[in-house]
Amino acid sequence: MRPPKSKALAVLQDYGLILFGCFVYVISWTSFMIPGGVVNGGLTGLCAIIELGTGLPVAYSYIVINAILIIVGSIIMGRGFGFKTIFAILVNTVLFRVMPLFPALQAVPGNFLFVEERILIPIIGGLLEAVGISIIFSRGGSTGGTDILAIVINKFWPVSLGLVFVLCDLVIIASILLIPGKTFSDMIYGYVAMICFSLGVDYITTGRKSSVQLLVFSDNYEKIADYVNKVMNRGVTALSAVGWYTRKDKKVLLIMVRKYETSQITRAIKDIDPKAFVSISPATGVFGEGFEEMKTGIKKKK
């Protein structure tokens, strides 16, 4: 059992990182996307459209809509939402109200953060938003919004959560056309931000966890296998095979490693056997010791 002090320190660390994640998340909106007239999806995107159309600050609509969703979600789902999610929503609300009070932080002409090429606004904003959200998610938090809506919809209709997120984002971003003066290009900028955000979140949250499968054909397979076992601490399976051209028995090494370990293992293989033939394929899911735990939804019996 973790000592009380270390447990308290871990909790403080979680909330500290959530606070930092919220800061990065809000900066992406208040410094780049809102001043640049670009909206992404999600509840914040809807609130940004409300601000662009009516002048009502994001902070007010953000907290009101989130409060409604939490209450409705709790009634329908019969469950409470984690305090970390509520903490993130409250922090975001305060930051959305405070950050606009510092005009120097906005990416507008004359300020340090200003970028002349408008296409960079959704790219920078989307990636910063992805960093902030990923930090919040990594500590068990959430920014509410469409997350809650998707859970409620999924309860009554057999629709995947991912599809709900995509449809909500598409509709929210397209609704910028309802604002006078906004054009088709403004909507496209929003979709660019959505793509950058999605790719950024995927890369940050699963990039280091993604795995690859290697098939290694080499006469020096024993040295390669020993290197993978002893230096990289990875398992190796030697498969029996026959080279159909030579009709000789061979050993083919089957190796599973993380994607970021690919360069290390390929360099080692080249040093050991420059003539080795290597096939590398992405693995969509690797479960077992050293990788991910297989989740079946069935609890183990005590």
Side-chain angles (χ1 to χ4, degrees):
M1 182 179 293
R2 183 182 291 176
K5 286 187 178 180
S6 61
K7 186 176 181 180
L9 185 62
V11 172
L12 289 175
Q13 185 180 36
D14 285 347
Y15 281 95
L17 286 172
I18 290 175
L19 182 64
F20 177 71
C22 290
F23 176 76
V24 176
Y25 176 79
V26 173
I27 279 289
S28 71
W29 284 94
T30 58
S31 292
F32 293 96
M33 288 194 281
I34 294 177
V38 176
V39 297
N40 198 349
L43 176 60
T44 306
L46 177 61
C47 297
I49 290 176
I50 293 174
E51 177 174 331
L52 292 173
T54 66
L56 180 69
V58 168
Y60 299 131
S61 56
Y62 180 83
I63 187 63
V64 170
I65 298 175
N66 261 314
I68 294 172
L69 288 174
I70 290 176
I71 293 171
V72 173
S74 298
I75 293 172
I76 295 176
M77 301 300 295
R79 53 171 282 188
F81 291 88
F83 188 75
K84 288 181 179 178
T85 295
I86 296 174
F87 174 76
I89 292 172
L90 293 175
V91 170
N92 281 344
T93 301
V94 173
L95 290 176
F96 272 124
R97 191 70 189 96
V98 173
M99 297 308 294
L101 300 178
F102 299 91
L105 296 177
Q106 297 178 7
V108 295
N111 285 348
F112 175 76
L113 296 178
F114 175 67
V115 286
E116 190 172 352
E117 297 79 7
R118 195 187 177 202
I119 188 60
L120 294 178
I121 295 295
I123 295 175
I124 297 172
L127 293 177
L128 280 176
E129 185 183 8
V131 171
I133 283 288
S134 298
I135 294 173
I136 296 170
F137 283 172
S138 70
R139 295 297 160 171
S142 168
T143 55
T146 51
D147 296 0
I148 301 173
L149 181 63
I151 293 172
V152 173
I153 292 175
N154 184 255
K155 177 179 174 65
F156 298 100
W157 291 280
V159 181
S160 69
L161 296 178
L163 179 60
V164 175
F165 291 140
V166 171
L167 292 177
C168 286
D169 289 348
L170 291 175
V171 172
I172 289 171
I173 293 173
S175 63
I176 196 173
L177 296 176
L178 299 175
I179 301 176
K182 293 299 180 181
T183 63
F184 180 75
S185 63
D186 294 304
M187 181 180 71
I188 297 302
Y189 283 129
Y191 290 136
V192 171
M194 181 184 75
I195 293 171
C196 292
F197 169 75
S198 300
L199 293 176
V201 170
D202 287 342
Y203 180 79
I204 296 170
T205 58
T206 64
R208 289 187 62 81
K209 292 185 178 181
S210 59
S211 304
V212 295
Q213 172 183 284
L214 289 86
L215 292 175
V216 182
F217 303 79
S218 171
D219 292 334
N220 295 318
Y221 67 90
E222 292 183 353
K223 293 182 179 179
I224 296 173
D226 286 340
Y227 177 86
V228 175
N229 264 157
K230 297 176 182 179
V231 178
M232 299 186 66
N233 294 318
R234 289 295 186 186
V236 182
T237 301
L239 306 175
S240 297
V242 177
W244 203 247
Y245 180 76
T246 60
R247 303 300 173 99
K248 293 181 179 180
D249 292 335
K250 291 181 174 290
K251 292 292 185 182
V252 178
L253 301 182
L254 174 62
I255 307 169
M256 304 298 300
V257 295
R258 294 293 191 190
K259 189 174 182 179
Y260 64 86
E261 296 175 308
T262 305
S263 59
Q264 178 185 353
I265 191 171
T266 51
R267 283 198 304 267
I269 293 172
K270 185 177 181 180
D271 290 340
I272 296 171
D273 183 5
K275 295 183 179 180
F277 183 84
V278 182
S279 171
I280 303 176
S281 305
T284 55
V286 181
F287 305 99
E289 186 176 353
F291 292 91
E292 304 302 314
E293 179 185 354
M294 188 176 295
K295 300 177 178 63
T296 61
I298 303 173
K299 294 182 178 180
K300 296 180 180 179
K301 294 182 178 179
K302 293 182 180 181

